[in-house]
Amino acid sequence: MSSRTVDAFTRTTGRPSIARFAPRRTLGDLLSKSWMEGAVPIFLALLLGCAVILTTPQIISGGDRGIILAQFAEAGLLAIALTLVLVGGGFDLSVGSTMGLAAIGSLILFRVYELPVEVVVGLTLVGGAVVGAINGFLIAVVKTRPFITTLVTALTIRALIELIQGEYSQQLLFPREDINWMFIGHGAVLGIPTALFWLLLIVVITHVMLTRSRWGWWLTAVGSDRRSARRNGIPVQTVSFLSYVISGVLCALAGLFMSARQGSTSANVASGYEIIALTAVVLGGVSLRGGRGSVVRATTGALIVAVLGQAIFRRDWDTSMEMVALALVLLVFAALDQKWGKHRNNLAQKLTISPFRYNAGPLEDVTDPRSVWAVNDALSEATPIGLGRIRGAEDCVVDDEGSVYCGDRRGWVWKFSGENHEHGEIYARTGGTPLGHVWDADGNLVVAVSGMGVCRIDDKREVEWLATRAPRTKWQLFDDSALRFADDLDIAPDGSIYFSDASTRVDTSSYQSVVAEYRPNGRVLRLDPDGTVETVVTNVAAANGIATSHDGQSILIASTTMFRVDRLWISGPKQGQFEPVLENLPGAPDNVNRASDGNYWLSFVGMRTPFSDLILRYPDFRLRMTKLLPVDDWIVPQWNVSCVAKFNEAGQILKVLWDRTGERHPMVTSMSEHRGHLYLGGLENNRIGRIKLDPEDVGPIDPYRIPGTGAAPVPPTPEEVRA
């Protein structure tokens, strides 16, 4: 069943749509994105590149452009190689030396030994893989330090290059003509220089590997937390070893392109390319602490480094100035990586709370004895069930045998049976916080579990998850596909389950932030019999209680922080319409359920006060409150003053039940009627309460029967009601 999604913002807040925009929270959502880790460094790096081009415009001419692209292709391969190692939590100072060894080695194989180009390419890449394997073995298997190991490898290779250069220097002077060798150094593929073409191809391949393959996920996990990765069954040694092998192959390929392009080598071939590669990855926002990085951004950094190097050359500065400039850039951006990575998440967390300005209506005086809301003792003598064993039963239901089922903050669903409900047992474990409970047509218990979703528990006590995610809202920074705060639920005549998600941003453990914000972050969703989940109402402030109406044509929705109850028509001539039922209530409504006499029960988790109403008009005050005060000292409605009200279809309050003393049930978050009794739940209570209802409050309807399904039960006799 498909229907138009209702936006409840303007209808419940009385404010224009533009008021929903929260700049602080939007900035926090932006900063919390994983790609923001490298976005700021790469943005600053691009600004640096633009500044260099503007101050040295001649470098974008034809000849300079070709030199920049050639250097970019070689440095880009090194940047990718170093990125893979860094993401895996390693470090490699031998990338430049490996590149130099490949350059001189390939030239010797080609000119001195006159091997075919295909063989030269193969042997060069194998040589790079061997160097990477040596590093990988020492670091991943022998457990040596990456920095020291690769430094020693780099020095050893550099010494080896000097020996080889001295041995073959005379023989390397005689060139050898080969069209394939010329193609590698100076050819083009589809109009793109060969080296640049292979760089772009490798960028695509490694990006897919890193972001879409199992090995890439494993590499990121190893770099983020090696111990956790090992505990989760990831082959840490193999993953780390392969990263160094791939790094060696890419460095060898860069050396091959350099050798074919320049046609000559020296003892200092590729010297300093370690700094070039390291500067490129830091400019690209690759984290030096491991676990985060992008080959696309790293190659962008390599391009900026190539532009910077050519600009320095064009200014006729000493060649050593390039190393000085790169060192300064590396130092600045390394410090930026350290500070930005450390404080980004903290800043995003501070911006998540964005209080909303709301003007509550006139406050009802519940101390006035003439008011229907007048405080009384109707709940004070409620019989406790599960006293001391329960920890926060938000909601409860009763089966045909009189056994009581309720949730627990520890993730349990309790069952209390016996004549006085003295036998308590853990009926099921959900893994979240069970909040809402309802019976389906087959007698299974359907539960809304905060932090998880909606599940069904059959008579064999097996838990089946019906919904754990919802369709993500398009064009929204924050991912609201998770069901973080599934709160209450009820079933419609067609078998669809309507349930509330009190907040798309936090779960039960952070419910105080929902109250501090008073921002419409909640929603109501429908779970169809075929398993499809669809959002039917958006922008509901603390969407809480859900109840199908007695005629089955609408659902009632309690908005806790807007102090109201609304109706969504789900069938009939008014289908899709959203209208108020109760407004400007004196407290914060929680669960709503059907009553046996054709009316409805509504619980209140807390009551408004003049001061709590006052601060609703001052969001800056509440924001400062959340920053300076501990959560327990935040100013909210009186949670420890609760009641239960009965109202009819027209929204008229008929009766209100209180616990004047506040000793037995200081917080009432739900009530459930069964056979002349009312069962009380409370998220902060250590019991379920049970009171006997007055005969005039009991009718012939079974509140647990899904409206519109089956025949109505036989009405009880007056004697049965009195009993």
Side-chain angles (χ1 to χ4, degrees):
M1 180 175 64
S2 179
S3 61
R4 179 176 58 88
T5 301
V6 175
D7 187 347
F9 185 86
T10 57
R11 310 183 195 200
T12 57
T13 64
R15 300 185 62 187
S17 297
I18 190 64
R20 78 182 66 193
F21 181 63
R24 282 177 50 87
R25 192 175 67 182
T26 302
L27 179 59
D29 292 343
L30 189 64
L31 292 176
S32 64
K33 292 296 180 181
S34 58
W35 48 265
M36 280 297 293
E37 179 75 19
V40 170
I42 193 63
F43 174 73
L44 295 177
L46 290 173
L47 288 181
L48 174 63
C50 293
V52 170
I53 293 175
L54 290 175
T55 55
T56 317
Q58 61 267 32
I59 63 174
I60 61 176
S61 63
D64 289 79
R65 187 164 59 246
I67 296 174
I68 290 174
L69 291 179
Q71 294 176 346
F72 162 57
E74 295 157 8
L77 290 171
L78 294 189
I80 296 173
L82 188 55
T83 296
L84 294 178
V85 173
L86 287 173
V87 169
F91 202 83
D92 194 352
L93 285 174
S94 66
V95 290
S97 299
T98 304
M99 177 184 179
L101 181 62
I104 192 171
S106 62
L107 198 60
I108 290 173
L109 292 175
F110 175 69
R111 287 187 177 179
V112 178
Y113 294 99
E114 297 186 352
L115 296 178
V117 173
E118 296 82 359
V119 177
V120 172
V121 172
L123 290 177
T124 302
L125 297 182
V126 169
V130 170
V131 174
I134 294 173
N135 283 332
F137 175 79
L138 293 174
I139 294 169
V141 180
V142 183
K143 310 296 184 185
T144 58
R145 298 283 184 180
F147 185 88
I148 298 298
T149 302
T150 56
L151 177 61
V152 172
T153 304
L155 295 175
T156 303
I157 294 176
R158 186 57 61 185
L160 183 61
I161 291 174
E162 292 181 0
L163 290 175
I164 295 174
Q165 179 67 26
E167 181 69 24
Y168 290 95
S169 59
Q170 294 299 322
Q171 297 165 278
L172 291 174
L173 294 176
F174 303 100
R176 175 189 171 197
E177 297 296 331
D178 189 291
I179 189 171
N180 293 328
W181 188 255
M182 289 293 295
F183 173 75
I184 293 176
H186 302 281
V189 179
L190 301 176
I192 303 173
T194 304
L196 183 60
F197 174 82
W198 278 100
L199 171 66
L200 298 177
L201 181 62
I202 290 172
V203 167
V204 173
I205 294 173
T206 52
H207 176 73
V208 173
M209 285 176 55
L210 197 58
T211 60
R212 296 294 183 269
S213 73
R214 179 177 298 179
W215 180 82
W217 300 332
W218 284 354
L219 184 67
T220 303
V222 170
S224 298
D225 192 329
R226 185 176 297 264
R227 181 177 300 177
S228 296
R230 183 178 292 108
R231 289 176 177 174
N232 283 277
I234 296 176
V236 174
Q237 286 187 0
T238 303
V239 171
S240 181
F241 176 81
L242 285 177
S243 69
Y244 283 96
V245 173
I246 296 174
S247 173
V249 172
L250 293 176
C251 293
L253 183 60
L256 181 67
F257 285 130
M258 171 182 277
S259 177
R261 177 174 62 88
Q262 293 182 344
S264 63
T265 63
S266 68
N268 295 321
V269 60
S271 178
Y273 267 75
E274 297 87 353
I275 299 298
I276 291 175
L278 190 57
T279 305
V281 298
V282 172
L283 283 174
V286 179
S287 176
L288 299 177
R289 293 163 296 177
R292 292 182 298 275
S294 165
V295 294
V296 176
R297 295 198 302 264
T299 50
T300 305
L303 178 60
I304 295 171
V305 169
V307 170
L308 180 61
Q310 187 63 16
I312 292 175
F313 174 78
R314 273 296 182 182
R315 287 179 173 272
D316 295 326
W317 291 355
D318 190 274
T319 54
S320 60
M321 286 300 299
E322 180 179 358
M323 289 296 104
V324 174
L326 292 179
L328 290 175
V329 172
L330 176 60
L331 181 63
V332 171
F333 277 80
L336 176 64
D337 169 72
Q338 178 70 21
K339 295 299 182 181
W340 174 243
K342 179 179 179 181
H343 298 293
R344 178 179 64 91
N345 288 330
N346 293 337
L347 180 60
Q349 190 66 28
K350 292 179 180 179
L351 296 173
T352 53
I353 295 182
S354 181
F356 182 75
R357 179 181 289 105
Y358 180 65
N359 294 319
L363 182 59
E364 179 81 22
D365 184 6
V366 299
T367 63
D368 185 352
R370 297 168 297 178
S371 171
V372 68
W373 293 96
V375 178
N376 53 56
D377 298 311
L379 305 180
S380 299
E381 300 302 323
T383 303
I385 298 173
L387 180 62
R389 305 177 68 179
I390 301 172
R391 293 185 185 176
E394 159 85 1
D395 190 19
C396 63
V397 290
V398 187
D399 64 15
D400 292 336
E401 297 177 354
S403 299
V404 178
Y405 300 76
C406 67
D408 188 297
R409 286 202 301 265
R410 292 166 290 190
W412 305 341
V413 175
W414 283 93
K415 176 183 178 181
F416 292 95
S417 57
E419 184 177 354
N420 297 313
H421 304 98
E422 66 276 9
H423 303 300
E425 59 177 322
I426 298 175
Y427 185 71
R429 301 175 189 269
T430 64
T433 305
L435 297 180
H437 303 71
V438 69
W439 298 110
D440 67 10
D442 298 322
N444 300 312
L445 184 61
V446 184
V447 186
V449 184
S450 177
M452 302 291 288
V454 177
C455 70
R456 178 170 55 209
I457 307 173
D458 60 21
D459 55 359
K460 297 180 181 179
R461 306 189 181 191
E462 295 183 356
V463 178
E464 176 189 3
W465 289 100
L466 305 178
T468 56
R469 303 189 71 80
R472 180 174 179 175
T473 303
K474 295 180 179 179
W475 316 115
Q476 180 168 287
L477 281 173
F478 185 79
D479 185 359
D480 60 356
S481 61
L483 300 176
R484 294 178 172 84
F485 207 148
D487 201 324
D488 196 22
L489 72 172
D490 208 350
I491 302 177
D494 64 356
S496 299
I497 300 173
Y498 287 83
F499 63 98
S500 59
D501 190 13
S503 173
T504 58
R505 310 182 69 84
V506 300
D507 59 15
T508 312
S509 62
S510 303
Y511 76 91
Q512 291 280 38
S513 65
V514 177
V515 180
E517 273 197 310
Y518 279 85
R519 185 171 289 278
N521 294 329
R523 58 185 170 179
V524 178
L525 305 102
R526 184 183 65 243
L527 171 61
D528 292 332
D530 63 0
T532 303
V533 177
E534 183 178 353
T535 302
V536 293
V537 185
T538 61
N539 296 311
V540 182
N544 203 325
I546 298 289
T548 306
S549 63
H550 285 283
D551 61 7
Q553 294 190 9
S554 63
I555 59 170
L556 301 179
I557 305 166
S559 174
T560 299
T561 55
M562 291 297 174
F563 319 120
R564 59 187 295 132
V565 176
D566 296 284
R567 185 192 303 273
L568 173 68
W569 291 92
I570 59 175
S571 64
K574 291 186 176 182
Q575 182 177 1
Q577 295 186 25
F578 188 82
E579 59 187 36
V581 177
L582 294 168
E583 297 181 277
N584 194 38
L585 292 166
D590 204 294
N591 279 16
V592 55
N593 286 318
R594 292 182 297 277
S596 62
D597 60 357
N599 296 309
Y600 301 92
W601 294 106
L602 179 65
S603 62
F604 288 82
V605 65
M607 306 305 293
R608 292 161 53 191
T609 66
F611 189 60
S612 68
D613 279 2
L614 176 65
I615 65 173
L616 291 182
R617 301 197 296 269
Y618 299 96
D620 292 339
F621 173 86
R622 303 203 311 277
L623 178 62
R624 190 172 182 84
M625 173 188 72
T626 61
K627 290 182 177 180
L628 300 180
L629 299 179
V631 175
D632 292 341
D633 292 337
W634 289 2
I635 301 170
V636 295
Q638 292 180 311
W639 290 145
N640 292 329
V641 180
S642 302
C643 64
V644 174
K646 175 179 276 192
F647 67 95
N648 59 20
E649 293 281 2
Q652 179 185 6
I653 300 297
L654 305 176
K655 176 180 286 191
V656 181
L657 311 177
W658 291 83
D659 177 8
R660 187 196 303 269
T661 63
E663 296 177 357
R664 292 180 177 266
H665 297 282
M667 178 181 284
V668 180
T669 55
S670 70
M671 69 279 105
S672 182
E673 182 183 341
H674 182 73
R675 294 180 181 174
H677 290 84
L678 199 62
Y679 295 81
L680 310 172
L683 185 59
E684 299 293 339
N685 296 345
N686 64 350
R687 71 195 75 188
I688 292 291
R690 179 175 183 261
I691 64 168
K692 186 177 180 60
L693 292 171
D694 294 335
E696 62 268 21
D697 288 323
V698 182
I701 301 172
D702 179 6
Y704 291 148
R705 180 178 61 85
I706 300 174
T709 61
V714 177
T717 64
E719 290 77 16
E720 290 175 331
V721 172
R722 286 192 294 270

